[in-house]
């Protein structure tokens, strides 16, 4: 059932190109005095993005007393800075297929992706990364696994086998992908990111998030790697608490994740995951809030 | 009697010193005492410190603090508000959930009190503190008074607050810059955008129609404003327009630029008052320590 590179490219081709608009929003918003007019124009030229921005601004989170009906209206009402930040969040999560027949649980997928996004941003904050670059860490975390969604959407039967194998053999998903398909999700994910013309650092952070060999890695790549493992680590710790029979086995698995971090990631992180996880105590709360943005990908 | 006590009238940063003795150097804080003796506080700029010390003379302290937005000059005094530390005090804190950074007030304040900034953590505050996320237009009842937030333009989500009690009405703009048209007059979208701006202005005008007293942001003069567009602050002329449109009884210019000396504030006031065609509103320069009685 292994697939070839052409098939991979074929799948990537079928993904909508979001994404001139996202690309332009990211580019526009890195400049501190981005023109409000330009930003509004980019959003308005993408009907889906427009709907989502409006949906979010009109959601309970903002608690506005009147309904906002156009992008211009939203700028007058809540200000250009707010709309800028809303657009970035909305744009980056919206372009993926919503359903799949492979049985990939999309709720798990998004909550893991969000966890990695939030953790990566917190790590960046902790490492003194500049505020305007922290958004990239969040986005990188959010998108690192998008390859999984493509596989699940385009080759559902094969991917079902992959999911089953990973489960049955107790191995990581990317390993099962490699064995059965010949490629893992980090490669196709990076290809989509390329197609979306995301910043090159983001592309490599997606490509490298399962790579164990040492090489020159940007701090973004190291952060996404660390955040991904931290999210898995935390999930195992929670599981250990809930599942009394297997506590020891689960704790051991977590310890192995911590221990097996590539040296470059360990060096960058400066702490074992066991320590890092202590200051991620209100992660669940953060993720709940971030979920408000993901809800937007339903419907419409 | 409703008493409005201006505890801090500076914008941006506290500026103590010989040039700021008359109008004061503390950042934004307004204390309102209602007919029934309830204490409502708007913003926790550095002016809230002295207020806290005075409130401590009668325990327990019961008060409600409304935050317009979380820029430093509006919250920097909160860690020094002593009533927060004392068991038995009851303090309600109100403000907006920040949907962009996805943080509520508690989180924002807890971060302000992280160990690297401050020796006491939010979780160690001993008063009964309740955090409340406001929704625009949703009135909060405090004793006989109601406090109603309205969203107004600033680089972050930002509330203006209207306080009403027994027929007396007071409005504080918080920081406010009337929205600007992002298009040029020759752009096709210009007029549509202008219509939205006008509609927004009308909503504000209706909201504060006929209030007795407004305290409003006018950090800049009209001469300075062109180079400060989009920074989130208003001008005297903008305030005068609001006063005219809304038939405001009295308006106090506030959020003074930290660079202003007392003398300059006096000069600016004289200048503004010399303009022809002022509405019947009484205008004043907000002064720290001034008590307005209604
Ligand atoms: Zn201010
Ligand atoms: Zn401000």
């Amino acid at each position: 059932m292994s697939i070839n590179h052409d098939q991979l490219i074929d799948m990537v081709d079928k993904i909508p190109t979001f994404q001139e608009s996202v690309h332009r929003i990211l580019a526009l918003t890195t400049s501190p005095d981005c023109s409000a007019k330009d930003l509004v124009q980019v959003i308005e030229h993408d009907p889906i993005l427009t709907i989502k921005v409006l949906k979010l601004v009109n959601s309970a989170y903002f608690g506005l007393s009147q309904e906002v009906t156009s992008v211009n209206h939203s700028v007058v009402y809540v200000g250009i800075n707010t709309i800028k930040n809303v657009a970035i969040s909305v744009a980056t999560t919206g372009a993926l297929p919503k359903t799949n027949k492979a049985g990939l649980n999309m709720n798990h997928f998004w909550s893991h992706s969000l966890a990695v996004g939030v953790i990566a941003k917190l790590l960046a904050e902790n490492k003194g990364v500049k505020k305007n670059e922290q958004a990239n860490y969040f986005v990188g975390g959010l998108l690192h696994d998008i390859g999984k969604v493509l596989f699940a959407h385009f080759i559902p039967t094969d991917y079902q086998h992959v999911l089953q194998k990973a489960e049955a053999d107790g191995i990581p998903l990317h390993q099962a992908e490699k064995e059965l398909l010949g490629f893992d999700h980090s490669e196709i994910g990076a290809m989509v990111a390329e197609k979306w013309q995301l910043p090159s650092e983001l592309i490599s952070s997606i490509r490298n998030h399962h790579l164990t060999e040492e090489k020159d890695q940007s701090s973004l790549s190291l952060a996404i790697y660390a955040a991904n493992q931290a999210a898995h680590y935390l999930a195992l710790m929670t599981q250990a608490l809930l599942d009394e029979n297997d506590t020891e086995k689960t704790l051991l698995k977590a310890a192995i994740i911590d221990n097996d971090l590539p040296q470059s990631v360990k060096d960058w992180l400066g702490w074992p995951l066991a320590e890092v996880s202590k200051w991620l105590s209100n992660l669940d709360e953060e993720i709940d809030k971030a979920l408000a943005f993901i809800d937007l990908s339903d419907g419409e | 009697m409703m008493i409005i006590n201006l505890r801090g009238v500076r914008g941006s940063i506290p500026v103590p010193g010989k040039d700021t003795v008359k109008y004061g150097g503390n950042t934004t804080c307004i204390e309102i005492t209602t007919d029934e003796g309830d204490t409502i506080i708007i913003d926790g700029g550095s002016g809230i410190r002295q207020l806290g010390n005075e409130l401590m003379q009668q325990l327990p302290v019961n008060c409600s603090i409304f935050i317009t937005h979380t820029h430093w000059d509006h919250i920097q005094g909160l860690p020094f508000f002593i009533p927060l530390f004392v068991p038995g005090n009851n303090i309600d804190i109100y403000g907006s959930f920040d949907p962009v950074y996805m943080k509520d007030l508690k989180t924002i304040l807890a971060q302000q009190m992280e160990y690297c900034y401050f020796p006491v953590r939010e979780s160690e505050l001993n008063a009964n503190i309740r955090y409340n996320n406001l929704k625009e237009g949703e009135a909060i009842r405090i004793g006989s008074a109601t406090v109603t937030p309205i969203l107004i333009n600033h680089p972050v989500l930002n509330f203006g607050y209207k306080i009403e009690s027994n027929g007396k009405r007071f409005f504080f703009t918080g920081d406010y810059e009337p929205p600007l048209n992002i298009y040029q007059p020759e752009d096709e979208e210009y007029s549509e955008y202008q219509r939205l701006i006008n509609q927004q202005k009308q909503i504000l005008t209706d909201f504060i129609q006929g209030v007795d007293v407004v305290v409003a942001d006018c950090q800049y003069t009209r001469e300075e404003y062109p180079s400060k567009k989009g920074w989130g602050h208003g001008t005297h002329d903008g305030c005068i327009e609001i006063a005219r449109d809304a038939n405001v009884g009295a308006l106090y210019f506030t959020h003074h630029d930290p660079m202003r000396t007392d003398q300059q504030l006096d000069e600016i006031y004289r200048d503004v008052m010399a303009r022809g065609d002022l509405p019947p509103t009484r205008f004043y320069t907000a002064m720290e320590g001034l008590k307005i009685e209604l």
Side-chain angles (χ1 to χ4, degrees):
Chain A
M1 80 205 257
S2 90
I3 52 175
N4 61 38
H5 198 255
D6 286 348
Q7 280 171 287
L8 221 50
I9 292 177
D10 202 43
M11 284 186 237
V12 174
D13 278 346
K14 285 194 196 126
I15 282 290
T17 38
F18 96 154
Q19 299 264 354
E20 180 54 18
S21 56
V22 174
H23 178 61
R24 292 200 51 206
I25 286 172
L26 291 174
L28 270 176
T29 50
T30 45
S31 119
D33 44 30
C34 110
S35 139
K37 191 167 127 181
D38 293 347
L39 188 67
V40 168
Q41 239 172 25
V42 175
I43 299 173
E44 275 183 337
H45 278 114
D46 185 331
I48 309 242
L49 188 56
T50 302
I51 289 170
K52 287 179 178 167
V53 167
L54 294 180
K55 217 169 146 190
L56 181 55
V57 172
N58 284 313
S59 74
Y61 275 84
F62 278 76
L64 305 184
S65 63
Q66 34 165 324
E67 200 195 340
V68 169
T69 50
S70 70
V71 180
N72 276 327
H73 192 189
S74 70
V75 174
V76 174
Y77 205 164
V78 298
I80 187 64
N81 273 312
T82 302
I83 293 308
K84 180 167 97 181
N85 287 306
V86 167
I88 298 177
S89 315
V90 168
T92 44
T93 54
L96 296 171
K98 312 289 175 271
T99 55
N100 67 82
K101 294 199 177 77
L104 178 70
N105 181 323
M106 288 306 281
N107 283 337
H108 287 176
F109 171 82
W110 279 121
S111 49
H112 169 70
S113 300
L114 273 172
V116 177
V118 171
I119 295 171
K121 188 176 159 265
L122 292 173
L123 291 177
E125 226 172 72
N126 184 264
K127 292 284 159 196
V129 170
K130 277 190 245 131
K131 260 253 167 330
N132 59 349
E133 284 168 27
Q134 286 173 19
N136 265 350
Y137 286 73
F138 179 73
V139 174
L142 201 59
L143 300 182
H144 77 288
D145 270 348
I146 50 174
K148 289 183 189 171
V149 183
L150 300 199
F151 281 148
H153 185 74
F154 289 115
I155 45 166
T157 322
D158 290 348
Y159 206 59
Q160 199 167 21
H161 292 304
V162 173
L163 291 168
Q164 282 160 356
K165 181 179 172 58
E167 177 75 42
D169 298 358
I171 55 170
L173 200 52
H174 67 99
Q175 207 173 311
E177 290 166 347
K178 222 148 187 155
E179 281 177 33
L180 289 183
L181 303 174
F183 293 96
D184 75 29
H185 62 264
S186 61
E187 289 170 68
I188 189 166
M191 286 164 73
V192 174
E194 248 160 19
K195 172 172 171 156
W196 288 346
Q197 299 181 283
L198 297 179
S200 59
E201 270 205 317
L202 262 179
I203 299 170
S204 27
S205 74
I206 294 172
R207 178 165 286 127
N208 296 336
H209 79 271
H210 286 301
L211 231 53
T212 42
E213 65 209 56
E214 325 271 323
K215 53 178 199 141
D216 289 338
Q217 295 234 28
S218 66
S219 82
L220 180 67
S221 280
L222 295 167
I224 303 304
Y225 200 111
N228 186 33
Q229 297 308 330
H232 287 307
Y233 180 91
L234 283 171
L236 286 171
M237 296 311 269
T238 315
Q239 193 190 327
L241 282 178
L242 298 176
D243 189 358
E244 284 170 32
N245 299 327
D246 268 339
T247 308
E248 243 154 75
K249 217 169 125 198
T250 314
L251 287 178
L252 184 64
K253 268 194 196 168
I256 290 173
I257 288 184
D258 204 347
N259 200 46
D260 283 356
L261 283 179
Q263 193 57 43
S264 54
V265 175
K266 277 184 185 160
D267 291 345
W268 182 81
L269 205 52
W271 301 88
L273 291 178
E275 280 302 313
V276 172
S277 63
K278 283 182 194 157
W279 45 269
L280 296 173
S281 56
N282 60 351
L283 190 64
D284 286 349
E285 228 172 282
E286 294 283 320
I287 291 169
D288 273 353
K289 290 173 195 166
L291 268 172
F293 287 87
I294 302 308
D295 282 346
L296 297 162
S297 50
D298 303 338
E300 247 100 9
Chain B
M1 192 178 348
M2 188 195 273
I3 302 170
I4 300 155
N5 192 345
L6 305 181
R7 297 286 185 160
V9 297
R10 280 295 150 178
S12 310
I13 192 167
V15 279
K18 63 177 174 33
D19 292 327
T20 57
V21 173
K22 181 174 170 189
Y23 292 102
N26 281 306
T27 56
T28 302
C29 178
I30 298 178
E31 171 196 10
I32 296 126
T33 313
T34 65
D35 292 334
E36 295 181 354
D38 292 303
T39 300
I40 297 169
I41 300 167
I42 306 183
D43 277 347
S46 67
I48 202 174
R49 191 191 67 92
Q50 179 58 28
L51 165 58
N53 296 348
E54 289 171 29
L55 288 175
M56 282 301 291
Q57 285 158 16
Q58 207 181 356
L59 293 176
V61 175
N62 301 306
C63 65
S64 306
I65 304 176
F66 289 80
I67 303 292
T68 58
H69 67 300
T70 51
H71 280 162
W72 272 121
D73 50 331
H74 300 259
I75 59 168
Q76 67 202 152
L78 283 178
F80 304 91
F81 186 63
I82 302 299
L84 288 172
F85 298 88
V86 180
N89 289 344
N90 300 296
I91 299 170
D92 269 297
I93 302 182
Y94 297 88
S96 117
F97 174 81
D98 185 331
V100 173
Y101 294 97
M102 295 177 280
K103 288 179 186 173
D104 56 15
L105 267 186
K106 184 182 165 75
T107 310
I108 290 168
L109 297 181
Q111 288 177 346
Q112 190 190 14
M113 288 186 153
E114 274 170 11
Y115 261 150
C116 55
Y117 304 121
F118 198 71
V120 182
R121 283 181 300 189
E122 194 276 340
S123 58
E124 294 168 285
L125 297 177
N126 286 321
N128 306 313
I129 305 171
R130 282 184 304 185
Y131 295 92
N132 309 274
N133 290 320
L134 293 175
K135 283 195 171 148
E136 189 192 26
E138 205 174 80
I140 303 294
R141 241 201 130 77
I142 311 282
S144 66
T146 57
V147 182
T148 318
I150 183 172
L151 262 184
I152 52 175
N153 188 49
H154 196 54
V156 291
L157 281 194
N158 173 47
F159 285 135
Y161 289 114
K162 180 168 69 179
I163 298 172
E164 298 169 275
S165 170
N166 296 330
K168 290 154 197 158
R169 303 197 299 153
F170 166 65
F171 180 70
F172 176 59
T173 66
D175 292 8
Y176 174 56
E177 177 178 14
L180 296 166
N181 202 317
I182 63 174
Y183 298 97
Q184 299 301 316
E186 61 271 19
D187 292 340
E188 178 187 336
E189 297 89 347
Y190 183 87
S191 56
E192 167 66 6
Y193 201 87
Q194 196 56 45
R195 189 184 63 77
L196 291 167
I197 288 179
N198 295 344
Q199 180 190 322
Q200 209 59 33
K201 275 190 183 155
Q202 195 57 49
I203 288 170
L204 176 61
T205 306
D206 294 345
F207 186 77
I208 62 174
Q209 191 57 236
V211 298
D212 302 293
V213 171
V214 169
V215 174
D217 173 3
C218 68
Q219 179 151 346
Y220 304 120
T221 65
R222 64 179 174 196
E223 290 76 21
E224 293 161 342
Y225 182 67
S227 61
K228 317 276 184 187
K229 273 187 184 169
W231 291 22
H233 300 288
T235 61
H236 305 82
D237 300 80
C239 292
I240 291 169
E241 211 181 303
I242 291 171
R244 186 194 317 274
D245 293 345
N247 300 305
V248 170
L251 186 142
Y252 291 74
F253 304 120
T254 192
H255 211 270
H256 307 315
D257 192 279
M259 298 296 283
R260 304 261 192 255
T261 64
D262 291 330
Q263 200 194 349
Q264 284 170 330
L265 282 173
D266 284 333
E267 279 164 22
I268 291 170
Y269 181 77
R270 269 198 301 276
D271 238 40
V272 172
M273 286 307 106
R275 289 187 186 147
D277 192 32
L278 287 174
T281 305
R282 286 163 283 123
F283 292 99
Y284 307 95
T285 302
M287 184 188 287
E288 185 176 320
L290 182 77
K291 284 187 183 151
I292 306 162
E293 295 181 359
L294 279 182

